[in-house]
Amino acid sequence: MAEWLHEAQYSLVLFTVLMQVAIGALWVLAAADLQEAQSPDPDRARLTRLGSAILLPVAAVGMLFSTTHLGRPMLAMRALRHWETSWMSREIWMTGLFFGLIALYTLLWWWRPEVGKARRAVGVMGALAGAATILSQAMIYMIPGRPMWNHWSTLALFFGSALMLGPLAVASVQELGGAARGGRAKADQRPGAGREQRPDAGTGRRIMAGGAPEVAHRHLALTLLAAVAVYGIGLAGRLRYLADGAAAALATPGAAGKAAVGSETVRTALLLGQQVVAANGVLLGLEVALAIGVPAALAAVLWLTQRRGGGSGPRRGLLGAGLALTLVGHLAGRALFYLSGQPWF
């Protein structure tokens, strides 16, 4: 088991996925914050503030796991010197910048909420730094020396993870906080007095008295569907890329051997990558079912429930369960990604 975890680069799996969760979360929070500037809504502001609480813990755990990948952590600072030519150096710089900006963004939300203009500027800068972080993460692997990863699908999978997991994580935390607040409000009501509904003066929505307004499930559903499309296209493209390379290797004399060099070496690498995928069908099945199927089904449920005018009660717990399953799917897919990129020579 320990050898398998090492081959799957578990530390990089957790680092990249958790950082992408934090980046995607900031994207949706920064967008909501900008919307708040255009049309102030106390409920949306409260939920955005609540959602910001996940940024630092998730990113910090991800960065902690990244250090376990270093053979000599004390020498890691040397990697900072080569940002002009090294994507790994750029990733370190961008990750550090992103972490500093989300720390400041969270600080402003919780201790200086009145400085909205400065907070929104920090949020936008953090969102851009996050996108640059994902770009640098992907570009580390898109090199000729690793043909199994040197494909546009690497970018699609990394950005798809952020677009899917980040908003889902924020929505789960917001709904959990809303449920807790609603429970406290219910306990404070007089015995026998039903939960009165009142209109939200800012938006006209109906919300539970003393509780939280519904999370924008329709927007979440659309975001999840877009993320599923990006991730699904990336996964399909990667599998097709490996399959085509494997077929070409089998049709080329000598290309199917590990000793193949020259023009056949890329085909050899793709063949071995395809064999790794075939040998780890469980991981691929988890990735397809949980990283694509679960969020697609969740988006459909949220959309249909919203259209039928259902309340938030029946969905309570659904977002959290969906997040957990989707996260497992992305971890499985990322493990398969690293397994299929092992040296072949």
Side-chain angles (χ1 to χ4, degrees), residues 56-343:
L56 280 176
V58 172
V61 172
M63 293 177 69
L64 178 64
F65 274 105
S66 72
T67 63
T68 65
H69 178 70
L70 301 174
R72 302 175 68 182
M74 298 304 296
L75 301 180
M77 294 298 292
R78 294 184 180 180
L80 297 174
R81 301 176 183 175
H82 308 292
W83 61 270
E84 303 97 331
T85 57
S86 169
W87 279 107
M88 182 172 291
S89 180
R90 293 166 188 162
E91 179 201 26
I92 296 172
W93 279 107
M94 287 296 101
T95 301
L97 176 60
F98 173 75
F99 189 83
L101 289 170
I102 63 172
L104 180 57
Y105 185 74
T106 305
L107 177 69
L108 293 175
W109 255 122
W110 289 88
W111 282 276
R112 294 292 301 277
E114 69 278 4
V115 291
K117 189 173 182 180
R119 183 188 66 243
R120 294 178 188 106
V122 171
V124 170
M125 289 188 293
L128 294 175
T133 300
I134 296 179
L135 175 64
S136 62
Q137 286 178 343
M139 293 303 296
I140 289 174
Y141 305 108
M142 295 173 64
I143 57 175
R146 284 291 187 272
M148 306 83 89
W149 295 332
N150 190 23
H151 190 247
W152 59 264
S153 59
T154 299
L155 274 170
L157 292 173
F158 280 29
F159 274 98
S161 290
L163 187 61
M164 190 182 304
L165 292 170
L168 190 52
V170 170
S172 300
V173 171
Q174 288 177 337
E175 192 151 61
L176 180 63
R181 180 173 176 177
R184 288 194 300 270
K186 185 175 182 179
D188 291 340
Q189 287 182 338
R190 298 190 308 272
R195 294 196 68 183
E196 173 193 0
Q197 286 193 337
R198 59 179 175 82
D200 177 2
T203 63
R205 290 173 297 172
R206 303 291 296 186
I207 62 175
M208 304 306 292
E214 285 192 359
V215 178
H217 290 104
R218 185 178 62 171
H219 294 164
L220 176 60
L222 293 175
T223 302
L224 287 177
L225 289 176
V228 165
V230 172
Y231 194 89
I233 290 172
L235 181 59
R238 173 170 168 73
L239 294 176
R240 178 62 182 270
Y241 172 63
L242 292 176
D244 288 348
L250 293 173
T252 303
K258 284 192 176 183
V261 293
S263 60
E264 286 80 31
T265 188
V266 171
R267 296 171 183 171
T268 300
L270 296 180
L271 171 62
L272 295 178
Q274 171 66 15
Q275 290 173 344
V276 169
V277 171
N280 291 272
V282 173
L283 290 179
L284 180 59
L286 287 173
E287 182 178 18
V288 172
L290 302 183
I292 296 177
V294 167
L298 180 60
V301 170
L302 294 175
W303 178 268
L304 291 174
T305 307
Q306 185 76 10
R307 285 182 62 87
R308 293 174 181 175
S312 61
R315 288 191 298 269
R316 200 162 287 171
L318 181 62
L319 292 178
L323 171 63
L325 293 173
T326 303
L327 180 60
V328 170
H330 282 266
L331 292 174
R334 196 60 50 85
L336 184 58
F337 173 85
Y338 284 108
L339 283 170
S340 65
Q342 298 299 316

